[in-house]
Amino acid sequence: MEPEKLSLRKYTAIIAILLVLIMTVLDVTIVNVALPVLAQQFDISDSMTVWIVTIYQLLITMLILPLSSVGDLFSYRRTFLTGVAVFTIASVLCAASQSFVMILVARAIQGIGAACVVSVNVALTRLIYPPKVLGRGLALNGMAVASATAAGPTIAGALLSIASWHWLFLINVPFGIAAFWLGKRYLPNNPEVESKSKFDVVSAIENILMFGLLFLAFGGYTGKNDEVKFFVLLGASILVGLFYVCRESHRSAPMLPVDLFRIRLYTLSIITSVCSFIAQMLAMVSLPFILLNSYGFSSIATGLLMTPWPLTTMIISPFAARFVERHNAGVTAAVGMGLFAVGIFAMLFLSAEGISKWGIVWRMAVCGIGYGIFQTPNNIVMVTATPIFRTGGAGGMQSTARLVGQTFGATLVTIIFAVGHGTTYHLVHVCLCISMCFAIIAGVFSVSRRICRSSSPESQIADMS
């Protein structure tokens, strides 16, 4: 490997990206823990407090693809730096909030900043890492996300035990300033392209409406007299989506990357990603109920018993990245999803009367190992299947697939618990069975990528246009 590939400049640029990635993930997990404190602080109900988390995720979902387009057309670097600045300033506004409305607005602004970062994160990573070791960069990003997810509740608990809730947001400020300074100095500029399209404002509005309505429909569904609202929002989302897809299908550089779906490898990777995140969320959201309600573990013990999952994912990801540098990524990802399904299958044998902590830990670890083997190879295929000048849109769609899968997975748990009959133990098992089915589907789609033709992404788009 050439010395230039390991330059200090590139390592420093990656540090800037990782810092902000960790910040954006932590601002979901640590705020979740603080919701009871915030409900008391602003004198609001628990259900209203959830909007402090929901508004953040909603803005990210709606803005990822428009901001990815901004990055493709203008600059990934400037989009990233703008996001860091907005996110950091919004963190100060969150800490200074004196009312529920004020913190809600500040969290929405924070979501805009996070969307800027998430939309171009993959594109910047692809520009920094040489193609042969791109998997290591994506694995490092995955490790950062897994670490922040696993450590979030612990960090929140520690901060709340020694300081007020304001510090959950103020902690972002020094890291945001550091990331902005490092990014301004060391992040690369976009590669030169022959011509650039103009930013499509109409498509941006359609995108925001489509994903916003979809997220509100599934994210707000509780199964209790919500059917009319759910179907109205879902129908409106589908209607807007039809106009959106029709408009995008006639554009040379669409915001919703419908042209990239002509690349079979990319399409299979997106489907695989959505199915895998549905499977993951079905299990991760439902399992705490059986640990808390059926087995009687405390909240702290439940959190610790769930930790082996993200922890093993974090440990395995870099090894999976190195492995796929020499082996087929699609097959490797399929093996990982198969192992994940085995872990979920083992969960089905959790006794209704209880089980040892070790019995829970090793099952969680198997799920985490399987997901670690799957995640990085799948991301590598998804990113490298597209032309480099469309990496922003491809990366934005990757994040959108994750959010859509997570939303569907969490909503399925809500629906099963709302309309299902039986004990918590049996309802959790229904969730686990569906999770295992989605994992198997993801594995089948993943292994099918092995037979895709090996022509370049650019030629595949050209052939089918």
Side-chain angles (χ1 to χ4, degrees):
M1 188 176 296
E2 298 174 11
E4 182 272 333
K5 295 177 181 178
L6 301 174
S7 68
L8 179 61
R9 183 182 185 87
K10 290 190 174 184
Y11 280 127
T12 310
I14 285 296
I15 290 172
I17 294 174
L18 294 179
L19 277 175
V20 187
L21 264 183
I22 291 171
M23 286 164 53
T24 56
V25 174
L26 278 177
D27 257 55
V28 175
T29 54
I30 65 176
V31 173
N32 277 337
V33 175
L35 288 181
V37 177
L38 295 172
Q40 185 177 9
Q41 171 70 30
F42 298 117
D43 192 25
I44 54 176
S45 66
D46 291 342
S47 60
M48 286 294 291
T49 314
V50 174
W51 272 100
I52 296 175
V53 174
T54 303
I55 195 70
Y56 178 78
Q57 295 176 311
L58 180 60
L59 265 295
I60 296 175
T61 306
M62 293 190 300
L63 295 176
I64 281 180
L65 290 178
L67 290 170
S68 296
S69 178
V70 170
D72 278 337
L73 295 175
F74 304 107
S75 170
Y76 303 134
R77 178 174 172 272
R78 286 202 296 270
T79 305
F80 178 89
L81 293 175
T82 300
V84 175
V86 170
F87 185 90
T88 305
I89 293 169
S91 296
V92 176
L93 294 176
C94 287
S97 296
Q98 300 296 314
S99 66
F100 175 62
V101 173
M102 184 175 176
I103 195 170
L104 212 59
V105 171
R107 283 288 283 175
I109 297 172
Q110 230 186 2
I112 295 171
C116 289
V117 173
V118 172
S119 66
V120 298
N121 155 61
V122 173
L124 285 170
T125 301
R126 187 174 184 181
L127 291 181
I128 292 168
Y129 279 87
K132 289 185 178 180
V133 293
L134 174 62
R136 300 182 191 182
L138 296 175
L140 196 58
N141 289 355
M143 284 178 61
V145 172
S147 300
T149 302
T154 303
I155 293 173
L159 281 173
L160 291 173
S161 67
I162 61 174
S164 67
W165 62 268
H166 305 80
W167 287 96
L168 296 176
F169 301 105
L170 290 175
I171 195 174
N172 292 326
V173 176
F175 294 107
I177 293 172
F180 185 88
W181 183 80
L182 293 173
K184 189 172 178 62
R185 291 197 63 180
Y186 298 111
L187 285 174
N189 292 310
N190 287 30
E192 293 293 330
V193 294
E194 293 182 4
S195 62
K196 291 184 178 180
S197 304
K198 292 183 179 180
F199 182 75
D200 187 355
V201 177
V202 175
S203 292
I205 294 172
E206 290 176 334
N207 181 88
I208 290 170
L209 288 174
M210 182 184 73
F211 283 109
L213 291 168
L214 184 67
F215 193 98
L216 287 173
F218 284 94
Y221 183 76
T222 62
K224 298 178 180 178
N225 301 318
D226 278 346
E227 289 82 4
V228 174
K229 181 181 74 173
F230 171 78
F231 284 111
V232 168
L233 290 172
L234 181 61
S237 174
I238 293 172
L239 184 62
V240 173
L242 290 174
F243 283 105
Y244 184 31
V245 171
C246 288
R247 178 182 177 82
E248 296 301 277
S249 63
H250 297 96
R251 296 182 62 83
S252 58
M255 186 171 295
L256 181 70
V258 290
D259 59 328
L260 296 183
F261 286 107
R262 296 169 185 162
I263 304 173
R264 184 168 178 268
L265 190 60
Y266 179 75
T267 303
L268 290 172
S269 298
I270 289 290
I271 295 172
T272 300
S273 183
V274 172
C275 290
S276 71
F277 279 110
I278 292 174
Q280 182 195 48
M281 289 302 288
L282 274 163
M284 291 201 81
V285 173
S286 64
L287 281 170
F289 288 96
I290 202 172
L291 299 178
L292 284 163
N293 300 337
S294 299
Y295 299 156
F297 290 113
S298 67
S299 297
I300 295 175
T302 298
L304 290 173
L305 289 170
M306 294 288 292
T307 300
W309 185 326
L311 188 62
T312 49
T313 298
M314 177 184 69
I315 294 170
I316 291 297
S317 290
F319 294 101
R322 289 179 178 269
F323 183 81
V324 296
E325 289 172 12
R326 299 179 180 274
H327 301 85
N328 185 273
V331 174
T332 303
V335 170
M337 201 54 4
L339 185 58
F340 173 85
V342 169
I344 296 297
F345 181 72
M347 294 282 187
L348 295 173
F349 291 92
L350 291 171
S351 169
E353 290 74 30
I355 194 169
S356 69
K357 292 180 180 178
W358 168 244
I360 297 170
V361 166
W362 74 257
R363 287 170 168 84
M364 293 288 181
V366 171
C367 289
I369 291 169
Y371 213 83
I373 295 173
F374 162 81
Q375 186 172 248
T376 300
N378 188 66
N379 288 343
I380 291 170
V381 176
M382 204 183 309
V383 173
T384 57
T386 61
I388 193 166
F389 63 89
R390 296 298 309 284
T391 304
M397 196 62 210
Q398 176 183 321
S399 298
T400 301
R402 171 175 59 83
L403 288 166
V404 170
Q406 288 174 336
T407 302
F408 274 109
T411 303
L412 279 173
V413 176
T414 302
I415 294 172
I416 291 167
F417 275 66
V419 304
H421 301 285
T423 64
T424 299
Y425 174 83
H426 291 101
L427 293 176
V428 171
H429 273 60
V430 172
C431 293
L432 293 177
C433 286
I434 299 174
S435 171
M436 187 170 63
C437 290
F438 273 104
I440 293 171
I441 293 170
V444 170
F445 274 110
S446 183
V447 78
S448 69
R449 292 178 292 192
R450 183 179 176 86
I451 62 175
C452 289
R453 59 179 179 168
S454 58
S455 57
S456 70
E458 291 86 347
S459 67
Q460 289 190 54
I461 292 177
D463 289 345
M464 301 185 70
S465 60

